[in-house]
Amino acid sequence: RYLDFLMNDELRSLIIQKAKFWDATRDFMKNNGFLEVETPTLETTTGGAEATPFKTHHNDYDLAVYLRISIGELWQKRLMAGGFPKTFEIGRAYRNEGTSQEHSQEFTNMEFYWSFADYNDGMKLVREMYIEIAKEVFGKTEFTSRGHTFDLANEWQEIDYSEEIKKQTGIDINTSSEKDMMKKLESLGVKYEGENRERLTDTLWKYCRKNITGPAFLVNHPTLVAPLAKSILGTGTVQMFQPIIAGSEVGRGYSELNDPIDQKNRFEEQQKLIDKGDTEAMMADMEFVEMLEHGMPPTCGFGFGERLFAILVDKPLRELQTFPLMRPK
């Protein structure tokens, strides 16, 4: 790899440019009043995302621990409860999953949490941040990537989760059976893992998203796929948003769920999925529920990673990592 850097000027310049990408992100957060923090990378339960973690053993405590799969989501929320109104962290996350153009087992993400803000505030700030990063790092806001051409400075359309799936596939995720969903995925030639409703719904969406150029915000996610987001009362959906660019999700944010009873119930539903063999379902963290019982202010949380940089330079994620994981010789 070091010889590749030595001989490949373009690759070397991309690594330098990625460093500027994170510098621009850090500057934007600090200029908007956010405090940079550090949170644990070893956890007794993983939280903040749905992914298969790496598991290891802590010899001194004789305890099973996991490498984090998010950038301290449940820890930063504890900071909200502790009186820190705006925090962010840039760090490494680890997920025991496959490798693809957009996925790696180890990668850098940024997450922020903002007290007394909701997902509408978050969408406004995220759009401003992406535009600022693009201007600072690339000197432009218009890009062509993966067969899509988009301008981050344009108005960002809001796309309804269930309506978009129905428009592209004919499946109503609110009323269709799991059997109907599986039949549709099979007819589309889409592989899927797990036959529970959450996984099937998510797989249908992933089929649809590749057709969306953006920039756009995906909204009105069903509660089932967002166990940490605040509900939109009476709708079965949550206050969640995801930026969509060039057919990919390049971030995730929501009005954080701060009702301890609701959160406990959702953790229990996730545990049922784990018990049925779903390795990506979210682990229950009852100490986090206890924190919510003490009280966490209304909060907007958001995270994004180096996938955004990969899309803006139109390169696979793995190619942009300094030393991607490889089998030893």
Side-chain angles (χ1 to χ4, degrees):
R1 183 64 166 170
Y2 52 85
L3 295 178
D4 197 9
F5 289 138
L6 190 64
M7 302 299 293
N8 189 331
D9 290 341
E10 180 190 12
L11 177 59
R12 196 166 61 251
S13 67
L14 284 169
I15 297 300
I16 295 169
Q17 199 169 34
K18 190 169 79 164
K20 293 179 180 178
F21 173 88
W22 288 118
D23 284 344
T25 301
R26 179 175 281 107
D27 289 345
F28 179 88
M29 297 312 299
K30 289 186 173 183
N31 290 339
N32 279 275
F34 287 79
L35 174 71
E36 186 168 12
V37 297
E38 292 180 332
T39 61
T41 56
L42 288 176
E43 303 178 309
T44 54
T45 60
T46 59
E50 294 184 352
T52 304
F54 288 98
K55 183 178 180 179
T56 188
H57 188 81
H58 191 300
N59 291 335
D60 189 34
Y61 289 175
D62 190 21
L63 187 68
V65 292
Y66 305 88
L67 287 173
R68 68 181 182 183
I69 59 175
S70 73
I71 309 304
E73 171 160 349
L74 302 190
W75 300 105
Q76 290 200 61
K77 289 179 184 178
R78 288 172 170 89
L79 291 175
M80 299 295 104
F84 294 89
K86 287 183 169 184
T87 65
F88 80 98
E89 181 176 4
I90 298 173
R92 302 294 275 178
Y94 308 87
R95 299 182 183 181
N96 197 354
E97 59 189 16
T99 302
S100 72
Q101 181 169 259
E102 295 189 349
H103 294 88
S104 179
Q105 295 78 29
E106 180 181 358
F107 52 91
T108 300
N109 267 18
M110 186 280 285
E111 292 193 27
F112 75 70
Y113 292 84
W114 180 9
S115 291
F116 302 104
D118 65 11
Y119 74 134
N120 290 306
D121 299 310
M123 283 190 277
K124 181 179 178 182
L125 186 70
V126 167
R127 180 179 180 273
E128 292 173 0
M129 176 169 57
Y130 283 22
I131 292 172
E132 181 71 18
I133 290 171
K135 288 179 177 178
E136 286 293 319
V137 179
F138 302 99
K140 62 180 182 179
T141 59
E142 186 173 349
F143 300 84
T144 296
S145 179
R146 301 177 187 179
H148 299 266
T149 298
F150 55 91
D151 189 340
L152 296 175
N154 287 345
E155 182 179 352
W156 290 39
Q157 177 189 5
E158 291 188 10
I159 296 173
D160 184 278
Y161 188 103
S162 59
E163 288 181 4
E164 186 66 25
I165 291 176
K166 187 173 182 180
K167 181 173 78 174
Q168 291 200 38
T169 70
I171 290 289
D172 187 334
I173 60 172
N174 301 303
T175 59
S176 296
S177 66
E178 287 87 341
K179 186 176 181 180
D180 288 339
M181 291 180 177
M182 287 187 280
K183 283 183 177 179
K184 174 55 69 172
L185 288 169
E186 288 163 4
S187 70
L188 294 170
V190 177
K191 294 181 180 179
Y192 58 90
E193 295 181 6
E195 297 181 358
N196 64 69
R197 193 169 193 85
E198 180 181 3
R199 287 285 158 261
L200 294 170
T201 299
D202 185 55
T203 305
L204 282 166
W205 157 247
K206 287 176 179 176
Y207 167 80
C208 296
R209 76 182 178 197
K210 66 179 183 292
N211 300 314
I212 300 172
T213 295
F217 285 120
L218 181 67
V219 296
N220 297 330
H221 299 65
T223 305
L224 186 68
V225 301
L228 293 170
K230 185 174 288 188
S231 297
I232 301 174
L233 295 178
T235 66
T237 63
V238 294
Q239 298 179 32
M240 178 173 170
F241 66 99
Q242 288 181 282
I244 308 297
I245 296 171
S248 296
E249 299 165 5
V250 285
R252 173 179 298 210
Y254 29 78
S255 302
E256 304 292 345
L257 180 59
N258 60 349
D259 179 336
I261 296 173
D262 194 354
Q263 184 64 82
K264 183 172 184 271
N265 290 338
R266 296 203 209 175
F267 275 153
E268 289 172 349
E269 288 301 313
Q270 290 292 304
Q271 185 60 49
K272 291 177 183 177
L273 296 177
I274 292 173
D275 293 340
K276 292 178 180 178
D278 189 337
T279 60
E280 294 189 1
M282 194 173 297
M283 295 182 189
D285 185 342
M286 292 309 170
E287 194 276 330
F288 176 73
V289 173
E290 181 183 343
M291 179 277 289
L292 294 180
E293 290 172 346
H294 285 286
M296 185 183 82
T299 296
C300 174
F302 177 80
F304 78 100
E306 53 189 281
R307 181 187 298 171
L308 173 61
F309 179 74
I311 287 174
L312 295 181
V313 297
D314 198 17
K315 297 287 186 181
L317 183 64
R318 182 177 175 86
E319 186 175 329
L320 300 168
Q321 295 191 322
T322 49
F323 296 99
L325 182 66
M326 298 180 68
R327 294 184 187 276
K329 292 182 180 178

